[in-house]
Amino acid sequence: MDSQAAWTPERRETFGALADILIPRSGDMPSAREAGLAGPLLDRLSRSRPDLAAALAPLLDELARVDPAAAVARLERERPDALLRLLEAAAGGYYMSAEVRRLIGYPGQEALTLSRGGFGGEDLVEAVMARRPIHRVPERD
């Protein structure tokens, strides 16, 4: 599914309203829509997970003119699988926000070098790599 064609203004509005129920403003943390979830983050999420975008589109059409809080409550009671997809999209997109990551102190994935010596260092990895394999290979009939 072409993510740009899939996200009509009505679908974006519906997704944003539902996501705000799932991720409301809390303290310094923005709500889903305040973080940009119904805009560029939704496009980015769609490129990362086209399967999720395709599953959400019909659900958003169905819930377009339903009160968002009532819709989430109904999904929870009647269609937990659909609610799970909605939660996955909302949370996944929310944590793509640079502002959200900054607020929680998570800079994103980084390549780190293990320090030499001490617990958890490369010397432990080297010792495991240097020993012979200790797993057993099952016998074949």
Side-chain angles (χ1 to χ4, degrees):
M1 170 167 76
D2 176 28
S3 63
Q4 297 304 316
W7 299 122
T8 63
E10 187 173 49
R11 283 181 180 163
R12 286 180 188 278
E13 176 59 31
T14 301
F15 181 70
L18 293 167
D20 270 355
I21 297 298
L22 300 171
I23 307 174
R25 171 176 266 292
S26 178
D28 292 339
M29 298 303 294
S31 71
R33 274 195 276 201
E34 290 171 337
L37 194 52
L41 292 177
L42 185 55
D43 298 325
R44 187 171 165 203
L45 177 72
S46 297
R47 287 189 300 274
S48 299
R49 291 287 312 275
D51 60 315
L52 190 55
L56 282 179
L59 179 65
L60 296 175
D61 291 341
E62 175 188 332
L63 300 175
R65 287 171 272 295
V66 177
D67 173 69
V72 168
R74 190 177 83 211
L75 289 175
E76 185 176 21
R77 280 190 318 274
E78 299 172 9
R79 296 173 54 199
D81 58 321
L83 179 60
L84 183 61
R85 282 191 301 274
L86 185 61
L87 283 164
E88 186 177 6
Y94 188 73
Y95 289 108
M96 287 180 169
S97 164
E99 176 68 6
V100 168
R101 288 194 317 270
R102 184 190 67 74
L103 287 167
I104 64 172
Y106 176 64
Q109 295 180 347
E110 300 175 322
L112 301 176
T113 302
L114 296 174
S115 62
R116 299 290 280 160
F119 184 74
E122 289 177 348
D123 53 332
L124 295 175
V125 175
E126 289 170 356
V128 170
M129 292 175 68
R131 74 174 184 224
R132 64 177 181 77
I134 60 173
H135 64 278
R136 293 180 54 165
V137 177
E139 294 181 20
R140 300 206 184 259
D141 292 334

